[in-house]
């Protein structure tokens, strides 16, 4: 069985076709701000123990920095399409950036963990408005077609996830407050660049209502993708939010570990995952990757310190593959407009990202340090089980595949890469 080809899958690095590197300034401005936006997610990883020490807080209290951030992000997914379809992409980006600048700056001034958690919630709202709009803006302004635009966006995501812990370590070694001030400064630069270089994008012909994403989840395929991603995200954010306490390293060492983790995430998301999909099919790749991730977190939880470091870094590879496949499933499996499908999918899965940082340290308090990783392994396996049981619902209808430029296969009809009407399905 040969690799599938479609018109949107030309080499995005081909300079003659526009290519990823030959983009307007508006695209680079948006992509640059996207890097910083994604940096904000892993920024606090290497400084979680420092924050706990500086604010006299427990691990479970500090983990609420992730919970408040992603809880607001989940709820905001119902709002972002409503807002951007009314005020336009550029204004939505600038509104999101403004909120991030304000609340990231305020986070650096926090006098208690409760204040910091509250400011992270406001930061989450700003980030949701920004990242849910950035891909649509990049696709609309990019040269070289949607393939180059999506690859540029995914590269920005990977770079941000890799550099966030590194920036957090470098600035956080002096004070846990500095990474927050640094993020506010970088996002302010992004605000200025987008203001100057990005022209307003055309508004959608149809305005999105607050309930459209919920209605989209009535489709069995999209609901199945969201349900599987919910379990997967619990595993993902157990690794991201709880592991720093297990590793118990200095900010520099922890930052280096999560930088290596982010590099693997970026490489496997952008380069490896599409090749595996072309060879084996999306659902087989996703199911296998989830099982391997489950095994990885078990070793992380029960191995010695060296094994924990190695498995933390290695988990980035499986997470990168999963992110790419889940993105394509969410954007292609239903007949809903992709921005609406994306919002519904994110609304479900981000609740797990909010739950994991809260429950993992609680489970440790109730049991021991190993059990949170057992739970994370089980949730990864549950995600794989949903993929297996709901395989038929997760395949792409003939009409949807043809409309995406693909060619139906006798063996399997699975989603293709997202096309130009996509919006971000972050992380992915």
């Amino acid at each position: 069985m040969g690799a599938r080809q479609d018109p949107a899958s030309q080499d995005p690095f081909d300079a003659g076709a526009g290519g990823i590197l030959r983009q307007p300034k508006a695209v680079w401005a948006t992509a640059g701000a996207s890097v910083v936006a994604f940096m904000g997610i892993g920024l606090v990883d290497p400084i979680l123990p420092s924050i706990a020490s500086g604010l006299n807080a427990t691990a479970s209290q500090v983990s609420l920095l992730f919970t408040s951030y992603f809880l607001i992000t989940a709820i905001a997914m119902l709002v972002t399409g409503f807002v951007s379809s009314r005020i336009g992409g550029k204004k939505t980006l600038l509104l999101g950036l403004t909120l991030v600048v304000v609340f990231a700056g305020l986070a650096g001034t926090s006098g208690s963990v409760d204040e910091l958690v509250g400011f992270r919630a406001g930061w989450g709202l700003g980030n949701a408005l920004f990242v849910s709009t950035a891909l649509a803006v990049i696709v609309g302004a990019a040269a070289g077609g949607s393939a180059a635009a999506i690859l540029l966006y995914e590269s920005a995501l990977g770079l941000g996830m890799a550099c966030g812990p590194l920036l957090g370590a470098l600035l956080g070694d002096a004070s846990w407050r500095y990474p927050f001030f640094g993020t506010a400064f970088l996002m302010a630069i992004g605000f200025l660049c987008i203001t100057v270089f990005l022209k307003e994008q055309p508004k959608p012909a149809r305005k999105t209502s607050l309930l459209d994403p919920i209605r989209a989840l009535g489709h069995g395929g999209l609901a199945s993708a969201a349900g599987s991603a919910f379990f997967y995200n619990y595993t993902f954010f157990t690794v991201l939010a709880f592991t720093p306490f297990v590793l118990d390293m200095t900010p520099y060492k922890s930052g280096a570990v999560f930088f290596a983790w982010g590099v693997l995430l970026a490489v496997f998301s952008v380069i490896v995952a599409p090749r595996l999909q072309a060879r084996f099919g999306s659902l087989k790749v996703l199911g296998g990757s989830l099982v391997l991730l489950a095994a990885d977190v078990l070793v992380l939880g029960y191995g010695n310190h060296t094994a924990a470091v190695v498995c933390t870094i290695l988990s980035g590879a499986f997470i990168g593959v999963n992110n790419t496949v889940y993105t394509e499933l969410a954007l292609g499996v239903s007949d809903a407009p992709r921005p609406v499908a994306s919002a519904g999918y994110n609304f479900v899965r981000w609740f797990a990202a909010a739950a994991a940082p809260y429950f993992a340290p609680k489970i440790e308090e109730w049991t021991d340090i190993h059990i949170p990783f057992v739970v994370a392994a089980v949730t990864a396996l549950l995600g794989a089980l949903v993929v297996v049981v709901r395989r038929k619902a997760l395949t792409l209808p003939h009409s949807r595949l043809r409309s995406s430029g693909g060619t139906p296969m006798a063996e399997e009809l699975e989603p293709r890469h997202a096309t130009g009407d996509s919006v971000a399905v972050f992380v992915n």
Side-chain angles (χ1 to χ4, degrees), residues 149-423:
I150 292 168
L151 182 56
L152 181 63
Y153 180 82
E154 290 182 349
S155 299
L157 187 155
L159 183 61
M161 292 295 286
C163 292
L166 200 60
L167 178 67
L170 293 173
L171 297 179
D173 188 58
S175 169
W176 65 264
R177 299 180 187 274
Y178 291 169
F180 298 109
F181 294 139
T183 299
F185 176 74
L186 291 173
M187 286 304 248
I189 293 175
F191 181 96
L192 293 175
C193 290
I194 288 176
T195 300
V196 173
F197 297 119
L198 180 65
K199 296 180 181 179
E200 183 57 81
Q201 304 296 297
K203 295 180 183 178
R206 177 181 175 275
K207 293 181 179 178
T208 301
S209 79
L210 293 175
L211 294 180
D212 280 350
I214 301 296
R215 296 190 185 102
L217 290 169
H219 185 278
L222 183 60
S224 299
S228 178
F230 175 89
F231 291 119
Y232 156 65
N233 264 31
Y234 186 95
T235 308
F236 177 2
F237 285 93
T238 296
V239 172
L240 190 63
F242 184 64
T243 302
F245 293 104
V246 176
L247 297 180
D248 193 24
M249 293 175 159
T250 64
Y252 274 126
K253 291 181 179 179
S254 183
V257 168
F258 278 96
F259 174 73
W261 169 86
V263 169
L264 277 187
L265 187 154
V267 170
F268 275 75
S269 176
V270 175
I271 298 174
V272 178
R275 293 174 179 172
L276 290 175
Q277 288 174 272
R279 184 180 177 95
F280 300 108
S282 295
L283 299 186
K284 290 180 182 178
V285 170
L286 180 58
S289 181
L290 287 168
V291 171
L292 290 173
L293 178 61
D296 181 82
V297 296
L298 273 180
V299 177
L300 196 166
Y302 280 93
N304 59 25
H305 190 267
T306 300
V309 170
V310 171
C311 288
T312 298
I313 295 171
L314 184 59
S315 69
F318 306 125
I319 289 169
V321 170
N322 294 338
N323 286 348
T324 293
V325 181
Y326 274 120
T327 296
E328 296 188 7
L329 286 175
L331 292 179
V333 76
S334 75
D335 292 326
R338 287 183 173 89
V340 174
S342 168
Y345 163 81
N346 278 300
F347 173 71
V348 172
R349 75 191 186 106
W350 284 127
F351 279 108
Y358 175 78
F359 283 111
K362 288 292 185 184
I363 292 171
E364 182 201 8
E365 292 173 9
W366 300 330
T367 56
D368 60 51
I369 200 168
H370 306 298
I371 303 304
F373 294 100
V374 175
V375 175
V378 170
T379 55
L381 292 175
L382 287 173
L385 181 63
V386 172
V387 171
V388 173
V389 173
R390 298 291 294 168
R391 179 180 178 84
K392 289 185 178 179
L394 288 169
T395 55
L396 188 63
H398 288 247
S399 59
R400 184 73 162 177
L401 185 63
R402 289 191 181 106
S403 69
S404 299
T407 302
M409 302 294 293
E411 298 84 359
E412 56 186 21
L413 298 170
E414 298 191 34
R416 301 296 305 155
H417 262 333
T419 52
D421 56 345
S422 310
V423 227

Side-chain angles (χ1 to χ4, degrees), residues 26-42 69 93 97 100 123 127 129-139 149-164 183 186-187 189-191 193-194 198 424 426-427:
V27 172
W28 288 117
T30 307
S34 298
V35 171
V36 181
F38 294 129
M39 285 170 61
I41 293 177
Y69 184 92
L93 290 179
L97 287 170
V100 172
W123 185 345
N127 224 43
L129 288 168
F130 179 84
V131 301
S132 65
T133 310
L135 178 55
V137 170
I138 289 175
V139 169
I150 292 168
L151 182 56
L152 181 63
Y153 180 82
E154 290 182 349
S155 299
L157 187 155
L159 183 61
M161 292 295 286
C163 292
T183 299
L186 291 173
M187 286 304 248
I189 293 175
F191 181 96
C193 290
I194 288 176
L198 180 65
F426 171 69
V427 145

Side-chain angles (χ1 to χ4, degrees), residues 17-175:
I20 188 174
L21 300 179
R22 299 184 60 179
Q23 300 295 339
K25 292 179 181 178
V27 172
W28 288 117
T30 307
S34 298
V35 171
V36 181
F38 294 129
M39 285 170 61
I41 293 177
L43 181 83
V44 299
D45 255 28
I47 58 172
L48 286 175
S50 299
I51 294 173
S53 176
L55 295 178
N56 297 316
T58 65
S60 58
Q61 287 176 315
V62 172
S63 293
L64 291 174
L65 294 177
F66 286 101
T67 296
S68 63
Y69 184 92
F70 288 116
L71 182 62
I72 295 300
T73 297
I75 297 171
M77 286 301 155
L78 301 180
V79 178
T80 54
F82 177 88
V83 172
S84 63
S85 65
R86 284 162 174 78
I87 68 174
K90 180 177 180 178
K91 290 186 177 68
T92 304
L93 290 179
L94 294 178
L95 174 61
L97 287 170
T98 299
L99 290 173
V100 172
V101 170
V102 170
F103 284 103
L106 288 173
T109 67
S110 300
S112 68
V113 70
D114 290 337
E115 284 185 10
L116 185 54
V117 168
F119 292 142
R120 276 284 282 183
W123 185 345
L125 174 60
N127 224 43
L129 288 168
F130 179 84
V131 301
S132 65
T133 310
L135 178 55
V137 170
I138 289 175
V139 169
S146 62
I150 292 168
L151 182 56
L152 181 63
Y153 180 82
E154 290 182 349
S155 299
L157 187 155
L159 183 61
M161 292 295 286
C163 292
L166 200 60
L167 178 67
L170 293 173
L171 297 179
D173 188 58
S175 169

